Amino acid sequence: MASGENRAFWQKVAPGYDDLVDDDYMTLVRRTVKDVGPADRVLDVATGTGLVALELSRQVGNVEAIDFVEEMIAAACLKAEEQGASNVNFSTSSAYDLNFQDHSFDAVIILNALHVMKTPKQALLESNRVLKPGGRLVCPTFCRGKTTDVKKVQKISEFQ
């Protein structure tokens, strides 16, 4: 589980999180969802306020979405209710210890979160464990900045 300091930061950010989301970020969300394609069951790890999960709900059978911050999950549940998204289940859980059976998801998404995790390797191992053989793991990270190195990373990571 994440450290108390990390949790405190995300608890503080949760109420205004969606205010930080811009068109570029939503483009990444939509492209990520497109990369998943149609699927029966998808896991959205570090869902935050449910941006990816709710986009996914329009094209997949079932979405399980987790975050380790209760305030983020509460915001996601409210948005799901407002949007009438009945095929999404939000829960508070750690990316490092997923409460799902082995090989139970067609796809796992970890959007823009690995770089802020204390042990991303453990999150990836757990994601792989719950992914069906031949399933899809999609883990994009949004980079924005003015330095040459960041611009290179942006260019390299652009979706086709």
Side-chain angles (χ1 to χ4, degrees), residues 1-2 6-7 9-11 14 17 25 43-51 53 64-77 89-96 98-100 109-113 116-117:
M1 192 62 91
N6 194 9
R7 181 184 309 278
F9 171 79
W10 292 109
Q11 286 172 326
Y17 184 81
Y25 194 84
L43 174 62
D44 179 19
V45 175
T47 193
T49 61
L51 295 169
E64 293 288 337
I66 65 154
D67 200 281
F68 77 110
V69 176
E70 293 159 3
E71 291 81 354
M72 291 287 196
I73 293 298
C77 288
N89 181 51
F90 292 100
S91 60
T92 306
S93 183
S94 169
Y96 309 137
L98 299 173
N99 287 326
F100 301 104
I109 294 178
I110 309 173
L111 186 135
N112 205 41
V116 295
M117 291 183 182

Side-chain angles (χ1 to χ4, degrees), residues 79-111:
K79 288 189 333 190
E81 185 178 328
E82 289 170 353
Q83 294 179 26
S86 60
N87 62 336
V88 183
N89 181 51
F90 292 100
S91 60
T92 306
S93 183
S94 169
Y96 309 137
D97 185 25
L98 299 173
N99 287 326
F100 301 104
Q101 293 182 359
D102 294 357
H103 314 296
S104 54
F105 292 96
D106 300 298
V108 176
I109 294 178
I110 309 173
L111 186 135

